[in-house]
Amino acid sequence: MDTSPLPPADLRGRTVLITGANAGIGYWCAEQLAARGARVLLGCRSPERAEIAVAAILSQVKDADLRIIPLDLGSLESVALAAAEVAEPLDAIICNAGVKAAKHTDRTSDGFDLMVGTNFLGHFALVAQLEPLLTPDARVVTVGSLAHRFAPLDPASIGTQWQGASLRHYGRSKAALMAFTFALAERWSDSQRIAVCAHPGYAVDPLTPPRPGLAEVSRLVRTLAKPTRVLVQGKDGAALPIVHATTGIDIANGDYWGPSGLNEFRGAPVRVSASDEVRSPETGAALWAAAERLTEVPFPD
Ligand SMILES: NC(=O)c1ccc[n+]([C@@H]2O[C@H](COP(=O)([O-])OP(=O)(O)OC[C@H]3O[C@@H](n4cnc5c(N)ncnc54)[C@H](OP(=O)(O)O)[C@@H]3O)[C@@H](O)[C@H]2O)c1
C-alpha cells in the first residue's frame, strides 16, 4: 500500500458514512478511516458485497467499528430509507459511489440517466435528507474527477437524455456533483461545516493491494501492471486525497484536493484547481434548483 503522508489522526468518537464503501476507492477510505478509529457506516447497494468488505476491513483492523447501511443511489426510495436508517449524528459523509461508462439508454429506477442519477442526484438527495443529522462541524466530501472538464455543464438540460461519448457525459455528472459541493460550501460559509471536493487521480485495481473477495486480480496482471506505477496508482493511494479532505486540519470550506503528481494522476494530496464553470455561483444555484425539482427533495434551509 502507498505510504500515507498524513499524520495519524485519532478519529475515535467520529462517525463517517461512505457511499460505495464495498469496492475500490470507497473501500480504501473505509479501511483507512477505520484504522484511525472512526466508526464507519458503509452505504452499499449489495448486502453480500458489503459483508465481504466488512470482513476485509476486520481482517486488517480487528476492532473496527462498522455498520452497513443499505443504499442504492439509483433509487430515491432507497436513498430515503437509508437516510432514515442512519439515525445517528454524522461527522462526515463521503459521496464516493459512482458509475462510469454507462450507455445513454441506462436509467435509474426513477427514470434518470444512470450517471447523473447516481453520481449527482442520488447524492444530492442523500445529503439533503441527512443534513439534520450532521454535527455542527461536519464535513461533506464529494469525489470529483479530472473528467469534470470534459463537457459543458448545463443545469437546464441535466435531466434530459444525452447523445455522444459516454466519458463526456460521465464528466458532466461529476461536474454536477462538484458544482453542488461548491454551492453547499457557499451555503455553509457562516458555519463551522465544510463542503469539500477531492479527486482520486487515476487509479486501477491491478496496482491495489489484494483484499479477500475484492476486485481479484491475477498475479500475472499485477506483474504486468507494475511499470504503470510511475504514472498511475492503486485505489489505496487514490483514497488519500479523499481521506485527507475528511480528516485534515488544513481543509477549508469550498476546497478542492487531488494528487500532487504529473497530470494529478497520483501522489500526495494537495489543493488543486477546479473549472470556473463548477465554481460559478450562478451555475451552482441553477443546478441546485434543478436537483430539488427532479428529486422532489428540498434541501433544508
Ligand atoms: N478510479 C479512478 O481512476 C477514478 C478517477 C476519478 C474519479 N473516480 C471516482 O471515484 C469513485 C470511486 O471509483 P472507483 O474507481 O473506486 O469505482 P469502483 O471500483 O467501480 O467502485 C464504485 C463503487 O460505487 C458503488 N455504486 C455504484 N452504483 C451504485 C449505486 N447505485 N448505489 C450505491 N453504490 C453504487 C459500487 O457498488 P457495487 O459494487 O454494488 O457496484 C462500488 O462500491 C467514483 O465516484 C468515481 O467516479 C475514480
Side-chain angles (χ1 to χ4, degrees):
M1 175 178 155
D2 288 3
T3 308
S4 169
L6 310 176
D10 183 350
L11 300 176
R12 276 173 297 183
R14 297 274 175 169
T15 302
V16 181
L17 169 66
I18 306 172
T19 69
N22 63 282
I25 295 163
Y27 169 83
W28 286 95
C29 290
E31 185 183 303
Q32 291 170 16
L33 292 168
R36 295 181 186 185
R39 173 169 166 74
V40 178
L41 311 187
L42 299 94
C44 305
R45 61 180 164 177
S46 155
E48 295 77 22
R49 289 193 289 275
E51 289 292 356
I52 289 170
V54 163
I57 295 172
L58 289 171
S59 74
Q60 305 296 316
V61 185
K62 300 285 174 255
D63 58 350
D65 183 1
L66 308 170
R67 181 181 165 207
I68 295 169
I69 304 291
L71 168 65
D72 181 351
L73 287 158
S75 156
L76 291 173
E77 185 186 7
S78 168
V79 170
L81 289 171
E85 173 95 17
V86 172
E88 61 181 290
L90 286 177
D91 297 287
I93 304 171
I94 300 180
C95 299
N96 160 79
V99 189
K100 50 184 174 290
K103 296 194 290 291
H104 70 92
T105 46
D106 291 341
R107 291 278 176 271
T108 67
S109 55
D110 304 294
F112 301 127
D113 161 74
L114 189 64
M115 292 191 285
V116 165
T118 307
N119 303 354
F120 168 48
L121 294 174
H123 280 127
F124 176 90
L126 181 70
V127 174
Q129 290 170 93
L130 288 174
E131 196 272 353
L133 294 176
L134 294 176
T135 57
D137 62 350
R139 296 185 186 188
V140 167
V141 181
T142 59
V143 177
S145 172
L146 290 165
H148 80 276
R149 296 178 189 274
F150 288 2
L153 172 59
D154 173 18
S157 65
I158 200 74
T160 59
Q161 192 159 1
W162 54 281
Q163 299 294 332
S166 177
L167 186 58
R168 278 170 58 81
H169 194 67
Y170 164 73
R172 209 169 68 114
S173 74
K174 282 295 177 179
L177 180 65
M178 292 174 66
F180 159 58
T181 316
F182 299 132
L184 184 60
E186 185 59 33
R187 278 201 168 205
W188 284 352
S189 55
D190 291 331
S191 82
Q192 289 178 278
R193 288 182 179 165
I194 287 177
V196 55
C197 186
H199 83 82
Y202 195 144
V204 294
D205 288 317
L207 294 177
T208 307
R211 289 290 182 267
L214 268 83
E216 289 175 352
V217 179
S218 73
R219 188 179 285 191
L220 175 66
V221 172
R222 283 187 183 284
T223 306
L224 292 174
K226 267 186 190 163
T228 65
R229 193 175 271 286
V230 292
L231 288 176
V232 300
Q233 60 186 338
K235 296 198 175 178
D236 52 331
L240 295 181
I242 298 146
V243 169
H244 186 63
T246 310
T247 62
I249 55 170
D250 54 350
I251 302 295
N253 188 30
D255 269 2
Y256 180 42
W257 286 70
S260 59
L262 184 67
N263 298 326
E264 297 174 22
F265 277 5
R266 53 164 293 140
V270 291
R271 263 188 204 88
V272 292
S273 69
S275 71
D276 291 344
E277 191 177 41
V278 298
R279 287 219 175 260
S280 155
E282 293 73 30
T283 302
L287 197 68
W288 193 289
E292 286 189 326
R293 179 173 48 78
L294 291 167
T295 61
E296 298 179 8
V297 177
F299 205 98
D301 287 328

